[in-house]
Structure formats: C-alpha cells, structure tokens
Amino acid sequence: MRKKLLAAPYTVWSVAFILIPLAMVFYYGLTDETGAFTLENIAAIATAEHSKALWLSLLLSLISTIICFFLAYPLAMILCRMQVNQHKFIVFIFILPMWMNFLLRTLAWQTLLEKSGVINNILSFFHLPTQNLINTPGAIVLGMVYNFLPFMILPIYNSLTKIDPNVINAAHDLGANNFQTLLKIIFPLSLPGVVSGITMVFVPSLTTFAISTMLGGSKILLIGNVIEQEFTQASNWHLGSGLSIVLMIFIILNMVLNTAFDKEGEGNVI
Amino acid sequence: MRKLFAVPLALLGAVTLTACAGADSSGENGEVYVYNWGEYIDPETIDMFEEETGIKVIYDEFETNEIMYPKVEAGASKYDVICPSDYMIQKMIENDLLAEINFDNIPNAKKYIGEQYWEQSQGFDPENKYSVPYCWGTVGILYNKTMVDEPVDSWSILWDDKYKDSILMQDSVRDAFMVALKLNGDSMNTLDTAELEAARDLLIEQKPLVQAYVIDQVRDKMIGGEAALGVIYSGEAIFTQRENPDLEYVVPKEGTNVWIDSWVIPKNAPNMSNAEKFIDFMCRPEIAVINFEYITYSTPNEGARELIEDEDIKNSEIAFPDLSKYSNLETYSYLGEEGDQLLNEYWKEVKSN
C-alpha cells in the first residue's frame, strides 16, 4: 500500500505529461480538419519533400552517431584506466557544458563558424585558408556530435568500469594480444553501453530542429524542421502529428534494439 | 530565433530573479496581457505605463504572424492587446477573433495618427473598427557598400551569381514569395497557380546563392559584415546604419510590400478596459516618440514625428518615405485558408530542394 502511495506522483506525472500528449498526437495524426479518421497525414511522408527530409535526417544522425562512437569509445577506455579522482574530474569536465542550455551552446557554434566568425578570424590572422562550414550539412553534423557526445561517453564508460579486470587478465594469460582482447573481450562486454549510447545520440539527432535551423541557416530541411513548421507556421497540427507518428516508428525500432542488448539499464546513467 | 532564446533566458531569469520576485506580483489596478513582436517597444514605456496607471503589464513576444496566430486562435493563452500585421488582422477579423474597438476610450488614436494610415488600413480593416496603427514601413534590400559596388535598384541583384553565399533572405513565407512575385511583375497577393509556381521556381533557382534564411538575424549579420545583401524591413535600416555606416537601404523599382502593424484587442480579452488604456498610452506623441527612437520603425503618429529632434531622421526617406514616388506598392491581404496552404506547400518545396 505504501509503495503505491509513493508511486502516485509519478503516475499522475506520466498520465498528464506523457500519456495524454501522446494520445493527442495520435488523435491529431489520425484525423483531418473535420475530425474524420484518415491515414493521409501518415501517408504524407511519401511526398517528395517529406521523404527527402526524413532520409536526410536519418543520414545525418547516422553519421553523427558513428562519429560520436569513434570519439567516445577510446575516451571511455582512457577514463577507465585513470585513477579514481582523476577520472571523476574528467567526467565532470564532460558533463559541465550540459549545465548550460544547449540552444545557447549551439548559438555559440554559429558565432564561431560564421564567415567572419571567431575561427575564421584566427585562421586568417595566421594566413591560413578559412573554413566555410556554416549553413552546410557538415555544420549540422558538428552541432549534433558536439551536443550529444556526452550521452555516448557516459554509458560506454559505465559499462567499461563494470568489466572485471580479472577477465581481461585471463585473456592475456591465455595468449590474447591487446587487440584481440579489445575485440573479443572488452567490446562484447561493453555492448550494452554502446547500444544505449547509440540510442541516446541517434534519437535526439533524428528529431532535432534547433540545430539544423541555427547551423544550417534554415536552408537544410530535416524532418524535425518540417514537423516544427507544420505546428508553428502552417498551423496544420494534423499533418505535424501524422509525421511525428512516422518518426516515432523509427525511434521505437531503435528502442527495441536497445532493450534487446541493454538488459542492465546502462541508459539510466544520466 | 528570438523565441528560441526566450526559453533559456527565461530559465536564467527565473533562477536569478526568484530572490527579488514577490514584490510586485500584481498591479493594484489589474493586469494587461500584451503580445507583441520581438524588440518592438522601448521597455521604458512599459515601466512608465505601469507607474502611471498601476496596471501590471505581462509582456510576451512573437517572431512571425504565423507563430502568433495559432496561439491566439487556440485561446489557451488569453491576451488583451496584440500587434499583428495587416493581412493577419484581416484573417483574424474574418475568423471573428477580434473585438471592435471603442475609440471613445482611445482619444489619442484619432487625434494623432495621420489620416493616410487610417486610409491605408482600410485595405484589411475596411471600416477602421478593429485596429490602431502602431508602426509601418516597406520591405527592401539592405546592402553593404564595401561589398556591392554597383547600383542596387532591383530585386534581380538577389539572383546574381557574384553574390553567392552573401545573400540573406527572409525566412517567412510571404516575404520570400513577395520578392519573387514582384520580380516577375506579379501581384504579391496573387492566387494564380501559374504565377505562384513561377515564383517558387525562381526561389528554388536562387537557393544555391542564399547564405541563410533568417528573420531578426538579418540585422546582426548585416551589421557584422557577414553578408553583402539582405532582405529587411525598413524599420531596421536606420538602426543598422547607426551601427554600421557602410549599410544602405533601397526599395527596389519593381515595387514592394507596404505594411502596417496595428494594435488589436482580441474578442476573448479578459481586461478590455486596461487594453484600451494601454493602446491610448502608446498613442501619446511623447510615448510614441520614445518608442520610435528605440525601435526605429516608422511611426504613423504625426504628433510623435513633430517631436523628433534629429532633422535628418525626421525628414529621412527611409523612415518616412513619400509613397507617391514609388510604383507597384501593395499591402498584403489574407489569402484565405486554401491560399495559405498552397503557399506553405510551395515554400516547403523551396526549402527541401
């Protein structure tokens, strides 16, 4: 009984802020202006503009996720080898930027990358060729990697620390070299962390619209931008919700993959 | 974009201000909920209004008419005073969202606002019953004289390969299409599919040359020398020139949009009489001139114009253009539900291309 009482606030919370909004998205997504049932809003993903935006979003978030993985894994391994107070400090450094709002941090990248921005000023001071990254898909990928990298590092780091050092020692004793140990022992054991890291980078990258607006100059339309514009500009909530449902399918696919690997709940680290 | 900042700033504000909150949570004479464009008023005038009337002003900002409309239509957040543009006022009148204004309670409006602006308003508010003009102006090209060395007098310069990656376009459907439609010699209120498709194709053709589609940022980027040419509202021209003297504003010869932003009172306004007091206060010449000096958008308030001390600005062609000198000027009108949808559809095609 007491347990039920303690859970009550969470139940109220999830009904009010998760279930009801979700139901509303489904209601709007599956009806037209007159309130009649329709699948048109979901089928709208097939139009040239929408499917192009969706594929571009999938591509850019995939690239960002891969880059994040290759940046995060070695770093997580280095962190693991460090002394306790040292690695705590490094982890702290990585979490520190998250104390600031991510929109502000993305805006800072805009100022850095602009044609007459900080980076180009420094480059031209040393008579080096300047960069032209702003308002390109590359800038969006950079923004995604920058913003979501900590979400990849932390779960991987978490699962690496859980590996019993004796397992690694045993591998060495049995004649495995460092590379074989990494590939056959460490990596498989850290897989749950890797998978939750992938989810935590891929999902927000797929749905973002702020990063693409700010660093893409509104020239590159991702599926998140399309949905945002349906709500704010075109005030077509039905189409916006319909496209959100399509996006949810991709997110659920990713989550299914996640639960299959991550049985110990590494994703809950943050 | 400003809307996006509002969230982190509000959070920051909430953290830093909790200590001082509580002192003036509500005015002694009630409240007035104002919904206005971003940076479209001198905050000092709000303080002056609060002090004089004892009415607390709760102030929200929007970035485009299209963002404002669904919020007001949904009715979840009730406002007393809103400042939309011409075509949006027409849409709100047609959808029965606005209250008729009792001008007896706003004596300053008829007294100080010039006759020509009331006449111009009749395009969207035929009997001058629903709106009180607040700001007006044109849309034109702002260019940097150090980067553009030829005369700028036509929208066609925005399609010139020479300025690849140095052109800023407006990230709003109607303003973007206005440029293309005017260049083709069509009306910016057209519903002709062939004309709209031609404009769409022109915008798609232009896209590789465009550095970014932005709204308020045109100003900052032009001041910073980030781009050579930008489509901008005339009201920003004086401000940007003050910050960067290399900038020049022109109204292209193909014609442009003459717009008016006016105060309106929504039908569901909870504090109708406070709204009237607020509008009347803003129509006072000495208040209107403070706002003009701050936001530099042309004021329709003749009394305020008399009070401007700087003769150059008082007679400025940018701030107070003689409209009879230009041809093909138009004011946006509401295109109807289907027209809006069509335009949005085409805009999406431009953006995703």
Side-chain angles (χ1 to χ4, degrees), chain A residues 33 49-50 52 101 103-104 107 110 114-117 134-135 209-210 213-214 216-221 226 229-237 239, chain B residues 1 4-5 8 11-12 64 66-67 69-70 164-166 171 173 207-208 210-213 217 221 224-226 341 344-345 347-349 351-353:
Chain A
E33 283 92 80
E49 307 96 70
H50 296 157
K52 197 178 163 192
N101 186 283
L103 293 176
L104 290 177
L107 194 73
Q110 194 179 24
E114 273 180 342
K115 276 207 287 185
S116 51
I134 191 78
N135 304 331
F209 62 87
T213 302
M214 283 197 230
S218 295
K219 272 163 77 182
I220 298 148
L221 208 62
V226 174
Q229 275 169 26
E230 289 305 329
F231 280 95
T232 59
Q233 305 281 326
S235 50
N236 189 346
W237 292 19
L239 182 53
Chain B
M1 199 55 45
L4 290 174
F5 303 154
L11 279 173
L12 258 177
T64 67
E66 285 72 22
I67 290 175
Y69 184 80
K164 186 175 192 306
D165 270 343
S166 279
D171 191 13
V173 192
K207 203 181 167 199
V210 175
Q211 183 190 95
Y213 295 92
Q217 279 178 316
K221 284 182 189 281
E226 187 67 21
Q341 255 175 32
N344 275 317
E345 209 47 55
W347 182 230
K348 210 151 56 177
E349 284 174 35
K351 284 297 213 55
S352 70
N353 206 276

Side-chain angles (χ1 to χ4, degrees), chain A residues 193-260:
Chain A
V194 172
V195 174
S196 39
I198 288 174
T199 309
M200 288 166 79
V201 172
F202 186 75
V203 171
S205 299
L206 186 62
T207 52
T208 187
F209 62 87
I211 295 176
S212 47
T213 302
M214 283 197 230
L215 299 178
S218 295
K219 272 163 77 182
I220 298 148
L221 208 62
L222 298 187
I223 191 71
N225 296 87
V226 174
I227 294 171
E228 186 239 9
Q229 275 169 26
E230 289 305 329
F231 280 95
T232 59
Q233 305 281 326
S235 50
N236 189 346
W237 292 19
H238 300 279
L239 182 53
S241 304
L243 296 176
S244 301
I245 294 173
V246 176
L247 203 51
M248 264 185 245
I249 296 170
F250 284 87
I251 294 169
I252 289 168
L253 274 179
N254 196 303
M255 304 253 265
V256 169
L257 186 80
N258 186 20
T259 39

